[in-house]
Amino acid sequence: MLLAGVAQGCVYALVALGFVLIYKATETVNFAQGDLMMLGGFFALTSSVILGWPYWATILFAVVAMAAVGMLIERLVLRPVLGQPAFTVVMITIGVGYVLRGVVTMIPGWGTETYTLPTPFSEGTFKVGEVIFAVQQLAVIGMTAALVAALYVFFRFSKLGVAMQATSQNQLAAAYMGIPVRRVNMMIWGLSAGVAAFAGILLAPVTFVHSNMGFIGLKAFPAAVVGGFGSVPGAIVGGLIIGLVEAFAGRYMPEGFKDVAAYVVVLVVLMFKPSGIFGETARKKV
Amino acid sequence: MSAHLPDMILELANVEASYGPVQALRGVTLAVPKGKIVTVLGANGAGKSTILKTISGIIDPSKGQIRFEGGEIQSRDPAWIVRRGISHVPEGREVFPLLTVEENLRMGAYTRSDAEGIAQDIDMVYAYFPILKERFRQEAGLLSGGQQQMLAISRALLSRPALMLMDEPSLGLSPLLTQEIFRIITRINREKGNTILLVEQNANMALEVADYGYVLEVGRIVMEDTCKRLLEKEDVQEFYLGMKAQGVRGQRRWKKKKQWR
Ligand SMILES: Nc1ncnc2c1ncn2[C@@H]1O[C@H](COP(=O)(O)OP(=O)(O)OP(=O)(O)O)[C@@H](O)[C@H]1O
Ligand SMILES: [Mg+2]
C-alpha cells in the first residue's frame, strides 16, 4: 500500500512538474496540464493498440508528439496573448483544456470510451520476506526516477537546460545574453507537455485512458502548491506526499475522505509554511 | 554630425522611442568612435537606459537609424544584435540569481560555441576579477552588490563584444568599489580594445574615464564635447558635478543626492 501511494504520487509529481516548469518560465499557471497528459495517453493508445508498436516505441512516440503539441500551443495560442494580464492567460489555458477534451471525444477511435493501454509489466506481485511488491507499481516508480534523473542532468549540464533556467530566472537578462527567449519558452512548453505524456502513460494502467483522465490535474495542482509553486524538487516531493496521504486516507479514513485529502494537506502545509515546503521567499526577480 | 567618418563603430541618427504614450527619446543623435569610451550623462528619467535598450533591440525605435559597423541594426532581434558584437551590462546588474557564477558566465557566452575560446575568456575575466574565481560555484544571488556588478561586466565580456553598453555600473556601490570598477573598465578598454558606451549618474567618474561625453535631458541631447571640456563647463559643473559657489555647497550636495538617488 505504501508502494501504491508512492506510485500514484509519482504521477502527481510529474504532472506537478509540468505545472512548475511552465510557471517558472512564463509565470503562467497552465490549467491544461492534466489534459495534455490525457492527450498523451491517447497518443500512446493509438501507437500501441492501433499501430501495434512496442511499449518503448509507444512512450517515445507519445512524448515526442506531445512535445510538438505543447510547442504548437505556445506558439499559436499563448504567444499572441503575451503581455496580457495573468488572468487572461490562465483563462486561455483553461480553454485549451476544454478544447483538447472536446477534440478527443470527436476523433473516431478515441471518443468517450475507456481504454486499457497494454504494458509489458505483469499484473503480478512478488514477495520479499513479508512485503508484497506489485511489479506494476515498481515499474512506475523506476520510470519516474529515471525521467527525473534525466531531467536533472539536462537542466544542470546542458547548455539549453541552463539557458532554460536562466530564462526562468530573468527573461530580460536572458535576452541581453542573446538567448532566444521566445523559442526557449516554446521549448519549455514542449518539455512540459512531453513530461505530461509520460505521466499519462504511467497513469494509464491505474485509471485507464479516457477523455476525462486529465482531471487528475486537480490533484497534481495541490502537489505543486505543497512543494512551493515554482520549485522543481518541491513538485516531486509534493506529489509523493499527496500520493501517500491519499493512499493512507483511503485505507484508514472514512469513505470519501481520500478525494479531499490532497486539499487538507495543502491547507495544513500552507498554514505552517505559506510559501510551500521548498518555496523561495521573494527570491525570484521579475 | 560626423556621420560618415569610417572610425565610428556606432551611430544613432534622430532616434525616437516611446513606452506606450510616454515618449522617452525625442530624436537622439550620437556617435561612438571605435576603441573609445563615450559617456552619456543625465538625470533620472532622462532616457539613458532607453538609449541602451534601443541599441540592444529590447525596444524598437519609432523613428531614426542605428548603425553599427556600417550596417543598420535598429529593430533587430536582441539575440541577433548580440551575435553582431554588442553586449549589454544592464542597470541593476540582473544576474541570474540561482545559477552559479560560472553558469552566469557561460550564459554570457551563449551565442558562441568555441569551447576553448570560452574557457580562455573565463580565465581572462577571473584575472580581472579574482573574487569571481574564488566564488565560481556559488549562486550569483548570494554575491554582494559589487561582486554582482563584476559578474555582470564579466558576463558581458564573454560574448567577445566589439561594443559594450554599460548602464550605471556604479549604481549602489561604495566610492572605493566604484573606483575599482572604473579602473578595470579602462583596463578592459585599453587591453582588449572594446569600445564602451557608458551611461552614468556618477558624472565625476564617467568624465574622468571617458573620452567624449553627451548630456541628455528629457530625451534630447543638449550638449556634447570632449570630457575634458565638459568638465570645465559651468553648467555641467553645476548640475552634474555638484560644484557651485562654495557657500551653498553643502546644501547642493544634499539636494543632488536626493535627486540622483
Ligand atoms: N517600462 C517603462 N514603461 C513606461 N515608461 C517607462 C518605462 N521605462 C522607462 N520609462 C520612462 O521613460 C523615461 C526614460 O526612462 P529611462 O529608464 O531611460 O531613464 P534613465 O535616464 O535611465 O533614468 P535612471 O537614471 O533613473 O536610470 C522616463 O520618463 C521613464 O519614466
Ligand atoms: Mg537608467
Side-chain angles (χ1 to χ4, degrees):
Chain A
M1 188 198 62
L2 181 71
L3 216 53
V6 173
Q8 186 66 28
C10 282
V11 175
Y12 293 151
L14 291 181
V15 180
L17 190 66
F19 276 124
V20 168
L21 288 176
I22 289 179
Y23 177 74
K24 276 183 67 149
T26 62
E27 308 207 334
T28 299
V29 180
N30 172 28
F31 279 102
Q33 196 66 31
D35 300 297
L36 292 175
M37 184 193 77
M38 176 272 296
L39 191 59
F42 274 99
F43 278 145
L45 189 76
T46 307
S47 74
S48 170
V49 176
I50 302 178
L51 302 175
W53 291 3
Y55 192 59
W56 304 110
T58 289
I59 293 181
L60 196 68
F61 170 76
V63 168
V64 170
M66 278 313 294
V69 169
M71 292 200 274
L72 275 177
I73 291 176
E74 193 279 340
R75 183 68 192 82
L76 300 179
V77 183
L78 285 137
R79 200 176 299 177
V81 295
L82 212 67
Q84 299 293 322
F87 179 71
T88 314
V89 181
V90 167
M91 289 309 289
I92 284 175
T93 67
I94 294 175
V96 167
Y98 267 104
V99 171
L100 290 180
R101 253 170 279 150
V103 166
V104 163
T105 56
M106 286 186 297
I107 290 181
W110 290 5
T112 49
E113 312 283 305
T114 296
Y115 303 92
T116 19
L117 181 68
T119 69
F121 310 111
S122 64
E123 288 295 317
T125 56
F126 61 91
K127 250 178 146 171
V128 179
E130 281 303 288
V131 192
I132 302 167
F133 291 97
V135 177
Q136 191 79 57
Q137 290 161 359
L138 283 180
V140 167
I141 294 167
M143 284 162 70
T144 304
L147 180 69
V148 168
L151 285 174
Y152 175 80
V153 169
F154 169 73
F155 277 118
R156 198 63 226 293
F157 299 109
S158 79
K159 183 172 168 182
L160 180 61
V162 178
M164 281 181 177
Q165 288 189 60
T167 309
S168 309
Q169 288 167 30
N170 191 333
Q171 292 216 4
L172 182 62
Y176 284 137
M177 298 305 107
I179 297 171
V181 172
R182 293 202 187 118
R183 205 178 324 151
V184 166
N185 282 343
M186 186 168 92
M187 286 189 272
I188 288 176
W189 267 83
L191 185 65
S192 183
V195 170
F198 200 84
I201 293 169
L202 296 188
L203 186 66
V206 184
T207 64
F208 307 105
V209 176
H210 58 90
S211 60
N212 282 334
M213 77 190 281
F215 283 118
I216 196 166
L218 295 180
K219 298 270 180 60
F221 188 70
V225 175
V226 165
F229 223 95
S231 159
V232 170
I236 292 161
V237 172
L240 294 178
I241 290 177
I242 301 275
L244 280 171
V245 166
E246 266 193 11
F248 281 93
R251 174 87 163 244
Y252 298 112
M253 297 289 208
E255 175 81 31
F257 187 76
K258 183 170 178 247
D259 289 325
V260 295
Y263 290 92
V264 174
V265 175
V266 169
L267 281 179
V268 171
V269 168
L270 294 191
M271 240 181 309
F272 290 103
K273 196 151 183 307
S275 56
I277 296 173
F278 285 75
E280 296 151 8
T281 333
R283 275 207 29 218
K284 188 169 164 38
K285 288 207 67 171
V286 180
Chain B
M1 198 182 75
S2 48
H4 297 293
L5 287 182
D7 64 337
M8 291 298 168
I9 193 169
L10 178 80
E11 290 164 297
L12 271 64
N14 297 311
V15 171
E16 296 184 13
S18 321
Y19 298 96
V22 185
Q23 194 176 8
L25 301 182
R26 301 158 186 263
V28 169
T29 298
L30 60 79
V32 180
K34 200 175 175 89
K36 301 285 187 201
I37 302 182
V38 170
T39 185
V40 176
L41 306 175
N44 285 128
K48 306 181 296 297
S49 299
T50 308
I51 292 182
L52 298 193
K53 285 179 183 163
T54 312
I55 298 169
S56 295
I58 300 290
I59 295 171
D60 290 345
S62 45
K63 273 204 191 119
Q65 285 88 43
I66 303 174
R67 298 174 72 82
F68 175 67
E69 292 181 329
E72 292 197 0
I73 61 163
Q74 70 271 11
S75 308
R76 299 301 291 249
D77 195 57
W80 185 88
I81 288 171
V82 174
R83 282 174 203 277
R84 269 302 297 267
I86 299 181
S87 72
H88 194 136
V89 183
E91 182 175 3
R93 310 182 261 275
E94 309 275 353
V95 297
F96 301 113
L98 304 177
L99 297 188
T100 65
V101 166
E102 184 148 336
E103 284 168 338
N104 266 273
L105 293 174
R106 291 196 175 279
M107 286 297 105
Y110 183 83
T111 51
R112 295 168 61 184
S113 47
D114 55 324
E116 234 168 78
I118 293 172
Q120 274 172 16
D121 286 358
I122 288 181
D123 285 342
M124 171 195 82
V125 299
Y126 284 163
Y128 281 123
F129 302 106
I131 186 76
L132 296 182
K133 183 168 190 175
E134 279 170 39
R135 303 285 171 88
F136 79 105
R137 296 197 129 203
Q138 193 175 322
E139 282 180 14
L142 302 178
L143 298 176
S144 77
Q147 293 161 353
Q148 288 188 13
Q149 188 64 59
M150 297 176 190
L151 178 58
I153 293 172
S154 303
R155 191 179 61 173
L157 275 170
L158 258 289
S159 67
R160 284 212 177 153
L163 171 67
M164 286 177 90
L165 311 174
M166 295 195 185
D167 199 340
E168 300 196 38
S170 73
L171 190 71
L173 304 191
S174 72
L176 206 67
L177 205 52
T178 305
Q179 276 197 337
E180 183 177 344
I181 295 269
F182 273 92
R183 217 181 44 241
I184 291 173
I185 291 174
T186 32
R187 247 184 83 195
I188 291 168
N189 168 254
R190 258 187 290 114
E191 293 171 8
K192 299 283 149 205
N194 302 59
T195 310
I196 295 172
L197 178 57
L198 172 70
V199 152
E200 260 301 338
Q201 300 263 352
N202 189 335
N204 256 318
M205 262 302 172
L207 289 174
E208 204 170 292
V209 302
D211 302 291
Y212 201 81
Y214 291 86
V215 176
L216 189 70
E217 259 171 35
V218 272
R220 281 197 188 88
I221 300 284
V222 293
M223 205 187 297
E224 64 173 290
D225 215 326
T226 60
C227 290
K228 197 160 153 283
R229 266 183 297 202
L230 281 179
L231 273 167
E232 289 161 0
K233 284 199 177 154
E234 230 168 66
D235 30 3
V236 174
Q237 291 185 349
E238 185 177 336
F239 292 115
Y240 296 98
L241 303 176
M243 294 190 290
K244 185 67 176 171
Q246 293 292 326
V248 288
R249 193 173 174 176
Q251 200 187 355
R252 280 235 162 244
R253 269 271 163 85
W254 177 81
K255 256 192 176 159
K256 176 193 132 197
K257 222 185 206 158
K258 200 173 164 193
Q259 186 192 343
W260 289 13
R261 80 160 93 118

